[in-house]
Amino acid sequence: PPPPPPPPPPPPPFFFFKPTPPSAILSGLVGSGMCIRDRYKVNSRGVAALKKLAIVLSPQKDLEILVEGHTDSIPLRGKGLLSDNWDLSVMRATQIVKVLEGYKVSPNRLIASGRGEHFPLDNGKSKEAKKVNRRTEIILTPKLDLLGEILAN
């Protein structure tokens, strides 16, 4: 008999780390393993990754945590809670913030914001390009008041 097919590749990491001094960006995905076009809920895999991240971030009191939601360029024309891509991007960020807060990251260090479709990583029109642009980014920045104190001393 022929050999069995190779196992499927492992899922991609939930976060991609990119240091950009004085900040660091964690770019991640929400939805069902990936950002689905019109979804913002964090799935169980995402919650597990955010729990690990919260364990690391919670004691780091000198960091502010900005969560940015992003969408692809396909217009969302909804009614109610999500009327356009701005709303969707903000909801993506808000969901991440709520998970982090639930794992004891102080809410006075968390900021949720949305960029809509206006900050793409890939300007292409393919499905792959759109998929790359559906994301959240977690930007870690030192608290500027602490930085001012350090520079003054």
Side-chain angles (χ1 to χ4, degrees):
F14 195 82
F15 292 111
F16 305 93
F17 182 71
K18 180 172 75 172
T20 54
S23 310
I25 298 176
L26 295 170
S27 187
L29 309 171
V30 296
S32 62
M34 286 188 237
C35 255
I36 298 175
R37 193 182 87 69
D38 60 352
R39 304 274 169 80
Y40 58 87
K41 295 287 185 183
V42 182
N43 67 12
S44 59
R45 185 171 160 238
V47 170
L50 289 168
K51 179 180 180 182
K52 291 176 185 176
L53 182 62
I55 290 168
V56 173
L57 292 179
S58 187
Q60 305 298 320
K61 306 294 185 206
D62 60 337
L63 290 177
E64 289 190 341
I65 304 155
L66 169 64
V67 182
E68 285 185 349
H70 298 264
T71 68
D72 60 28
S73 59
I74 300 171
L76 179 67
R77 289 178 175 72
K79 294 182 178 163
L81 186 61
L82 299 178
S83 62
D84 56 24
N85 282 340
W86 282 111
D87 292 342
L88 178 57
S89 66
V90 171
M91 286 301 293
R92 285 184 174 157
T94 302
Q95 292 299 307
I96 299 288
V97 162
K98 287 178 179 180
V99 171
L100 291 173
E101 184 180 12
Y103 286 115
K104 307 300 184 218
V105 175
S106 176
N108 65 357
R109 297 171 46 214
L110 296 167
I111 304 164
S113 70
R115 304 286 303 256
E117 69 271 16
H118 304 290
F119 198 67
L121 293 176
D122 188 330
N123 288 315
K125 302 297 180 197
S126 69
K127 284 183 178 182
E128 292 76 23
K130 288 179 178 19
K131 188 164 72 171
V132 165
N133 293 328
R134 295 188 296 262
R135 69 193 188 282
T136 57
E137 292 183 353
I138 300 174
I139 302 166
L140 309 174
T141 308
K143 287 190 173 183
L144 295 179
D145 57 339
L146 294 176
L147 184 60
E149 288 175 23
I150 291 168
L151 293 175
N153 296 327

